[in-house]
């Protein structure tokens, strides 16, 4: 995607990576609409940064997705970029019976959410001459963290969905770009904002903006820190990387 001149909707930008990218995309000359459930954050972010638009959306709720999509498209008919950022990460213990509800919650938000969002926006995106769907996977889609089985699987699903819908949309004006973050200091998991293992948020967001600008045709946005997970198997170092990652696991 081009770094400037777009109208971008980011459901999942009340905090963390989504908000950091929203601020930078806005500063780079894009119209940006951020979404999330926490209305108090949406209001304070909008008050802080004039020109940033907001919409309340719960991406775990199909009716909320439909309503927000209608509103965003009506207010911003030039919308050409959707970033399916909203996601949750939870630890699970699959040695006991209590993980199923957690697993269902993760799949609803991390997999059904992006699917429903893309469904709600695909006609709009196809109507634009140059459009982008940016999905958000994780280094954990490629090398698993022991404590978060369903999260890892949800991100592997996002990777393969991205690969597959890119093939279907190849003859349209809609590009599919997968953002593959490493561990980044956000509030995604308890303790993550202080984790030495995770990358500082600003450094990550700056590197992502640099990659979007220098590689407008990239199909994956990979900062340097994610490559040891992304390419562990390709390097022939999968078992060692799994072992190392899970010893380093700060949770
Ligand atoms: N930080 C990392 O280490 C890392 C690594 C790889 C991938 N990622 C991915 O990056 C994305 C952003 O995470 P983050 O690290 O920035 O964490 P974060 O600060 O917790 O941000 C998560 C965002 O998702 C939104 N969200 C969650 N559930 C939602 C729902 N049902 N409806 C609408 N919005 C929802 C939250 O907004 P509300 O609470 O206001 O709804 C928030 O804006 C996630 O997909 C995550 O899996 C993060």
């Amino acid at each position: 995607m081009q770094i400037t001149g777009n109208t971008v909707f980011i459901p999942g930008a009340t905090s963390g990576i989504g908000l950091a990218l929203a601020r930078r995309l806005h500063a780079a000359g894009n119209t940006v609409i951020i979404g999330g459930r926490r209305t108090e954050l949406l209001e304070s972010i909008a008050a802080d940064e004039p020109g940033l638009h907001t919409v309340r959306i719960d991406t775990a709720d199909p009716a909320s997705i439909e309503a927000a999509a209608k509103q965003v498209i009506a207010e911003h008919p030039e919308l050409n970029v959707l970033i399916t950022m909203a996601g949750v990460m939870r630890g699970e213990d699959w040695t006991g019976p209590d993980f199923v509800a957690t697993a269902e919650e993760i799949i609803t938000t991390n997999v059904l959410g992006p699917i429903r969002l893309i469904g709600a926006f695909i006609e709009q995106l196809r109507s634009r001459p140059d459009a982008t769907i940016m999905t958000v996977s994780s280094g954990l889609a490629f090398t698993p963290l022991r404590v978060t089985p369903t999260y890892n699987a949800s991100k592997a699903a996002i990777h393969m969905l991205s690969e597959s819908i890119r093939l279907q949309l190849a003859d349209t004006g809609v590009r599919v770009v997968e953002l593959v973050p490493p561990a980044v200091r956000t509030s995604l998991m308890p303790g993550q904002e202080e984790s030495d293992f995770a990358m500082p948020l600003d450094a990550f967001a700056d590197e992502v903006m640099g990659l979007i600008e220098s590689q407008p045709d990239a199909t994956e946005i990979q900062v340097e820190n994610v490559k040891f997970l992304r390419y562990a198997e390709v390097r022939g170092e999968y078992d060692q990387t799994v072992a190392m990652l899970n010893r380093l696991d700060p949770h």
Side-chain angles (χ1 to χ4, degrees), residues 216-228:
D217 296 322
T219 54
E220 282 187 36
I221 306 284
Q222 305 163 355
V223 299
E224 285 305 315
N225 276 14
V226 84
K227 291 182 180 170
F228 84 105

Side-chain angles (χ1 to χ4, degrees), residues 170-200:
D171 295 333
T172 74
V174 185
R175 304 168 202 220
V176 179
V177 184
E178 177 185 344
L179 174 63
V180 193
V184 178
R185 285 183 207 153
T186 70
S187 52
L188 188 63
M189 284 277 273
Q192 187 154 332
E193 274 170 306
E194 296 81 39
S195 167
D196 288 338
F197 180 65
M199 192 174 174

Side-chain angles (χ1 to χ4, degrees), residues 86-107:
V88 292
M89 183 175 188
R90 312 261 188 262
E92 298 160 316
D93 177 3
W94 281 54
T95 63
D98 298 332
F99 61 86
V100 175
T102 307
E104 287 177 354
E105 181 203 349
I106 295 166
I107 294 297

Side-chain angles (χ1 to χ4, degrees), residues 14-15 17 37-38 58-59 85 137 151 155 182 184 186 192:
T14 49
S15 61
I17 295 172
R37 293 163 301 181
R38 288 173 287 178
D58 179 353
T59 64
M85 182 64 66
S137 67
Y151 179 81
K155 294 302 186 179
V184 178
T186 70
Q192 187 154 332

